[in-house]
Amino acid sequence: MHRAVVLGTGSCLPRRVLTNDDLEQMVDTSDEWITSRTGIHTRRIAGDGEQNYQLASQAAEKALVSAKVSAEEIDLVAVATLTPHMMMPSCACFVQTEIGAKNAFAFDLNAACSGFLYGLDMAEKYIATKPDMKILLIGSETLSARINWQDRNTCILFGDGAGACVLTGAMETTRTTRTTEAKQRGIVASNLYSDGSLWKLLYMDSPASRNPDLLLEERNGCFMQMTGRDVFKHAVRAMEKAALDLLDLQQISIQDVSLIIPHQANIRILNKLTERLGADQEKVFINVDKYGNTSAASIPIALDEANRQNRLKQGDLVLLCSFGGGFTWGSMLIRW
Ligand code: UT7
């Protein structure tokens, strides 16, 4: 059996740091409120030369170096994003040109904050049938362009950035027993879910939309809209259930997991999730304090930081969990 293995990771954050003190000058909020309710201290905001595809391309180039793979060897460039540079062409096509991945086909996928997890699942399915394929998967967002900077409910939460990884098929073991299979590196299993019926709790309308599903007063341009408290509850419950079901199905205990990388939305969500999973706090990777919620970029940025901090050792079990607009959510186990 071939498993999809992560060969290398990379990330790129914009230069500009926006602090809670800066936000105090912009809306009626305080560092104390933001820190205690979200755990966020700073977030990065894209500027000149830092459009979505440019952040994505820089993250991709670092992932290629880390994977020791050239751009020409890449067969597929996929970008998970809800803030593409343009509606058409895809962000992935811009990245393909920017990095010179001239032998690849390229497309975007949108599953909001779960986009990177959905992308990993898709990459695994490609690799199951074409193990030699080299896939460059990126999660990249410039959410700052789609935030109403007068809305204190949302503007304090989000940030910009990009993360990437290169995947390919693991070497097939010649005689696969249950034990060797269990120890085999790569994506072990995943579960993905969606519930479109709750979309109004978290949405972003299209620019210049004539969307008949929205009342006139709900068409505020194209900014992020969120009913935070409800999203919070759904996020905790959904990620908890997805992760526990996956562990149960794989007959893996949470104690066997070396590192948990959840979508970085809010420190209170992460703490509740940690508690409900019965996980040790030091096994949960956290960088929401530095970057806020970067949507589809949050898991790959965290994965890259964990990788570069040597928190991922070969053979370690890593658990990813995500939740986002749609609603979309899921979890995944990777043997690093
Ligand atoms: O990736 C998935 C996407 N999103 C999320 O995961 C977000 C999930 N939700 C959350 O993180 C939290 O719900 C928030 C951080 C957004 C809000 O925290 P909360 O504890 O749920 O606060 P709340 O919305 O219930 O608001 C409590 C109070 C309200 O005032 P009143 O009605 O009690 O007078 C808000 O108006 O806090 C007020 N408030 C603020 N005050 C100062 C809301 N935003 C702010 C602010 N500064 N920035």
Side-chain angles (χ1 to χ4, degrees):
M1 188 188 71
H2 285 93
R3 276 192 178 162
V5 171
V6 176
L7 292 180
T9 62
S11 60
C12 176
L13 279 309
R15 292 177 297 272
R16 184 176 162 213
V17 177
L18 188 74
T19 66
N20 293 347
D21 291 344
D22 295 331
L23 282 162
E24 281 183 14
Q25 312 305 313
M26 297 159 67
V27 286
D28 180 16
T29 192
S30 64
D31 174 45
E32 196 281 324
W33 193 97
I34 301 172
T35 305
S36 62
R37 299 284 179 131
T38 71
I40 300 167
H41 296 290
T42 56
R43 65 290 288 147
R44 300 296 183 91
I45 305 296
D48 284 351
E50 295 175 331
Q51 307 213 53
N52 188 331
Y53 76 93
Q54 292 167 317
L55 296 173
S57 299
Q58 287 188 43
E61 274 167 356
K62 289 180 193 167
L64 289 170
V65 171
S66 143
K68 301 188 177 63
V69 168
S70 70
E72 291 82 3
E73 289 176 83
I74 294 295
D75 300 293
L76 162 62
V77 178
V79 178
T81 186
L82 60 93
T83 51
H85 179 58
M86 298 178 91
M87 293 307 291
M88 183 186 72
S90 66
C91 198
C93 281
F94 282 103
V95 172
Q96 179 204 17
T97 304
E98 194 83 353
I99 67 173
K102 56 184 182 204
N103 300 310
F105 64 103
F107 61 88
D108 288 357
L109 65 113
N110 179 352
C113 302
S114 305
F116 191 78
L117 197 69
Y118 275 46
L120 283 175
D121 184 75
M122 179 196 69
E124 191 229 336
K125 266 72 188 175
Y126 269 117
I127 285 166
T129 50
K130 289 187 179 175
D132 292 339
M133 242 182 126
K134 290 193 172 55
I135 299 178
L136 175 60
L137 177 66
I138 306 166
S140 183
E141 303 285 9
T142 44
L143 287 155
S144 60
R146 305 298 301 274
I147 296 295
N148 176 358
W149 289 99
Q150 273 135 40
D151 175 12
R152 67 177 185 172
N153 291 301
T154 50
C155 75
I156 54 135
L157 287 175
F158 297 96
D160 302 334
C165 72
V166 178
L167 298 121
T168 195
M171 295 291 284
E172 205 166 5
T173 45
T174 40
R175 251 178 353 109
T176 309
T177 63
R178 259 188 89 74
T179 333
T180 54
E181 191 183 312
K183 295 282 173 211
Q184 205 180 324
R185 297 184 62 210
I187 295 175
V188 177
S190 55
N191 53 8
L192 303 179
Y193 305 93
S194 307
D195 182 354
S197 71
L198 299 169
W199 69 269
K200 258 196 186 176
L201 295 175
L202 183 57
Y203 68 90
M204 190 191 279
D205 199 11
S206 315
S209 162
R210 299 272 186 281
N211 188 338
D213 292 342
L214 289 176
L215 300 173
L216 259 186
E217 61 270 24
E218 289 173 324
R219 292 187 199 151
N220 69 344
C222 49
F223 299 129
M224 179 85 75
Q225 291 286 318
M226 186 179 68
T227 311
R229 198 173 277 193
D230 290 338
V231 175
F232 189 109
K233 286 183 202 152
H234 282 284
V236 174
R237 280 191 216 124
M239 285 195 284
E240 175 199 359
K241 184 161 172 18
L244 290 179
D245 284 354
L246 188 67
L247 289 167
D248 198 35
L249 201 69
Q250 294 301 313
Q251 296 179 310
I252 289 171
S253 150
I254 191 74
Q255 313 312 329
D256 297 332
V257 172
S258 303
L259 192 66
I260 303 170
I261 303 186
H263 167 51
Q264 308 285 311
N266 179 323
I267 193 69
R268 284 159 53 221
I269 293 180
L270 301 185
N271 289 343
K272 273 201 186 310
L273 182 66
T274 306
E275 189 189 307
R276 291 190 183 193
L277 293 180
D280 299 335
Q281 213 143 26
E282 59 276 15
K283 283 189 179 175
V284 181
F285 192 87
I286 289 170
N287 63 9
V288 69
D289 52 322
K290 294 188 289 182
Y291 308 132
N293 180 346
T294 56
S295 192
S298 108
I299 289 182
I301 292 171
L303 195 64
D304 182 50
E305 290 201 337
N307 194 17
R308 284 169 202 275
Q309 291 167 15
N310 275 327
R311 288 185 69 180
L312 297 165
K313 307 268 186 300
Q314 193 165 325
D316 278 358
L317 261 181
V318 185
L319 174 66
L320 311 180
C321 324
S322 77
F323 183 85
F327 288 145
T328 57
W329 69 97
S331 63
M332 174 174 281
L333 278 164
I334 303 177
R335 175 80 61 186
W336 199 256

